[in-house]
mmCIF file of all heavy atoms in Angstrom:
data_model
loop_
_atom_site.group_PDB
_atom_site.id
_atom_site.type_symbol
_atom_site.label_atom_id
_atom_site.label_comp_id
_atom_site.label_asym_id
_atom_site.label_seq_id
_atom_site.Cartn_x
_atom_site.Cartn_y
_atom_site.Cartn_z
ATOM 1 N N ALA A 144 -76.549 -71.661 -61.261
ATOM 2 C CA ALA A 144 -76.639 -70.178 -61.246
ATOM 3 C C ALA A 144 -77.648 -69.779 -60.241
ATOM 4 O O ALA A 144 -78.847 -70.106 -60.352
ATOM 5 C CB ALA A 144 -76.904 -69.602 -62.615
ATOM 6 N N LEU A 145 -77.285 -69.013 -59.179
ATOM 7 C CA LEU A 145 -78.257 -68.669 -58.154
ATOM 8 C C LEU A 145 -79.261 -67.678 -58.776
ATOM 9 O O LEU A 145 -78.897 -66.714 -59.356
ATOM 10 C CB LEU A 145 -77.555 -68.036 -56.971
ATOM 11 C CG LEU A 145 -76.538 -68.943 -56.221
ATOM 12 C CD1 LEU A 145 -75.987 -68.258 -55.017
ATOM 13 C CD2 LEU A 145 -77.193 -70.253 -55.850
ATOM 14 N N PRO A 146 -80.553 -67.941 -58.610
ATOM 15 C CA PRO A 146 -81.641 -67.116 -59.196
ATOM 16 C C PRO A 146 -81.508 -65.700 -58.785
ATOM 17 O O PRO A 146 -81.335 -65.350 -57.617
ATOM 18 C CB PRO A 146 -82.894 -67.731 -58.676
ATOM 19 C CG PRO A 146 -82.510 -69.106 -58.317
ATOM 20 C CD PRO A 146 -81.096 -69.103 -57.806
ATOM 21 N N GLY A 147 -81.604 -64.746 -59.780
ATOM 22 C CA GLY A 147 -81.540 -63.378 -59.535
ATOM 23 C C GLY A 147 -80.231 -62.852 -58.973
ATOM 24 O O GLY A 147 -80.171 -61.800 -58.398
ATOM 25 N N ASN A 148 -79.235 -63.728 -59.090
ATOM 26 C CA ASN A 148 -77.896 -63.379 -58.528
ATOM 27 C C ASN A 148 -77.966 -63.083 -57.044
ATOM 28 O O ASN A 148 -77.172 -62.353 -56.479
ATOM 29 C CB ASN A 148 -77.258 -62.198 -59.260
ATOM 30 C CG ASN A 148 -75.758 -62.186 -59.160
ATOM 31 O OD1 ASN A 148 -75.108 -63.232 -58.917
ATOM 32 N ND2 ASN A 148 -75.162 -60.997 -59.208
ATOM 33 N N SER A 149 -78.962 -63.661 -56.383
ATOM 34 C CA SER A 149 -79.146 -63.484 -54.907
ATOM 35 C C SER A 149 -78.352 -64.488 -54.152
ATOM 36 O O SER A 149 -78.157 -65.619 -54.640
ATOM 37 C CB SER A 149 -80.648 -63.657 -54.564
ATOM 38 O OG SER A 149 -80.858 -63.559 -53.192
ATOM 39 N N THR A 150 -77.859 -64.137 -52.970
ATOM 40 C CA THR A 150 -77.082 -65.068 -52.168
ATOM 41 C C THR A 150 -77.886 -65.701 -51.040
ATOM 42 O O THR A 150 -77.494 -66.703 -50.460
ATOM 43 C CB THR A 150 -75.853 -64.333 -51.530
ATOM 44 O OG1 THR A 150 -76.303 -63.250 -50.749
ATOM 45 C CG2 THR A 150 -74.931 -63.871 -52.653
ATOM 46 N N THR A 151 -79.075 -65.150 -50.737
ATOM 47 C CA THR A 151 -79.969 -65.753 -49.691
ATOM 48 C C THR A 151 -81.165 -66.286 -50.374
ATOM 49 O O THR A 151 -81.961 -65.470 -50.985
ATOM 50 C CB THR A 151 -80.318 -64.680 -48.636
ATOM 51 O OG1 THR A 151 -79.103 -64.136 -48.062
ATOM 52 C CG2 THR A 151 -81.168 -65.276 -47.604
ATOM 53 N N LEU A 152 -81.407 -67.559 -50.320
ATOM 54 C CA LEU A 152 -82.471 -68.189 -51.018
ATOM 55 C C LEU A 152 -83.176 -69.235 -50.161
ATOM 56 O O LEU A 152 -82.588 -69.790 -49.233
ATOM 57 C CB LEU A 152 -81.900 -68.891 -52.281
ATOM 58 C CG LEU A 152 -81.311 -67.994 -53.403
ATOM 59 C CD1 LEU A 152 -80.436 -68.765 -54.361
ATOM 60 C CD2 LEU A 152 -82.473 -67.228 -54.131
ATOM 61 N N ASN A 153 -84.436 -69.480 -50.501
ATOM 62 C CA ASN A 153 -85.239 -70.554 -49.824
ATOM 63 C C ASN A 153 -84.766 -71.904 -50.393
ATOM 64 O O ASN A 153 -84.800 -72.073 -51.643
ATOM 65 C CB ASN A 153 -86.692 -70.365 -50.017
ATOM 66 C CG ASN A 153 -87.214 -69.065 -49.377
ATOM 67 O OD1 ASN A 153 -86.839 -68.747 -48.250
ATOM 68 N ND2 ASN A 153 -88.083 -68.360 -50.026
ATOM 69 N N THR A 154 -84.445 -72.829 -49.510
ATOM 70 C CA THR A 154 -83.993 -74.135 -49.945
ATOM 71 C C THR A 154 -84.932 -75.163 -49.363
ATOM 72 O O THR A 154 -85.493 -74.997 -48.261
ATOM 73 C CB THR A 154 -82.581 -74.453 -49.592
ATOM 74 O OG1 THR A 154 -82.377 -74.277 -48.166
ATOM 75 C CG2 THR A 154 -81.597 -73.499 -50.287
ATOM 76 N N VAL A 155 -85.097 -76.288 -50.093
ATOM 77 C CA VAL A 155 -85.989 -77.384 -49.672
ATOM 78 C C VAL A 155 -85.275 -78.672 -49.976
ATOM 79 O O VAL A 155 -84.548 -78.766 -50.983
ATOM 80 C CB VAL A 155 -87.347 -77.360 -50.479
ATOM 81 C CG1 VAL A 155 -88.290 -78.380 -49.904
ATOM 82 C CG2 VAL A 155 -87.947 -75.983 -50.421
ATOM 83 N N TRP A 156 -85.444 -79.681 -49.123
ATOM 84 C CA TRP A 156 -84.836 -80.977 -49.391
ATOM 85 C C TRP A 156 -85.859 -82.066 -49.035
ATOM 86 O O TRP A 156 -86.768 -81.865 -48.202
ATOM 87 C CB TRP A 156 -83.506 -81.165 -48.669
ATOM 88 C CG TRP A 156 -83.501 -81.043 -47.189
ATOM 89 C CD1 TRP A 156 -83.571 -82.056 -46.266
ATOM 90 C CD2 TRP A 156 -83.532 -79.810 -46.437
ATOM 91 N NE1 TRP A 156 -83.577 -81.526 -44.955
ATOM 92 C CE2 TRP A 156 -83.561 -80.145 -45.051
ATOM 93 C CE3 TRP A 156 -83.516 -78.435 -46.781
ATOM 94 C CZ2 TRP A 156 -83.570 -79.182 -44.023
ATOM 95 C CZ3 TRP A 156 -83.547 -77.493 -45.787
ATOM 96 C CH2 TRP A 156 -83.543 -77.882 -44.417
ATOM 97 N N GLN A 157 -85.723 -83.268 -49.658
ATOM 98 C CA GLN A 157 -86.764 -84.220 -49.516
ATOM 99 C C GLN A 157 -86.184 -85.668 -49.688
ATOM 100 O O GLN A 157 -85.066 -85.835 -50.242
ATOM 101 C CB GLN A 157 -87.854 -83.991 -50.546
ATOM 102 C CG GLN A 157 -89.173 -84.736 -50.260
ATOM 103 C CD GLN A 157 -89.663 -84.501 -48.892
ATOM 104 O OE1 GLN A 157 -89.484 -85.351 -47.996
ATOM 105 N NE2 GLN A 157 -90.393 -83.380 -48.638
ATOM 106 N N ALA A 158 -86.932 -86.651 -49.253
ATOM 107 C CA ALA A 158 -86.594 -88.056 -49.444
ATOM 108 C C ALA A 158 -87.861 -88.853 -49.504
ATOM 109 O O ALA A 158 -88.865 -88.541 -48.836
ATOM 110 C CB ALA A 158 -85.764 -88.595 -48.297
#
Side-chain angles (χ1 to χ4, degrees):
L145 299 184
N148 202 26
S149 175
T150 59
T151 301
L152 294 163
N153 295 319
T154 55
V155 187
W156 58 100
Q157 195 53 262

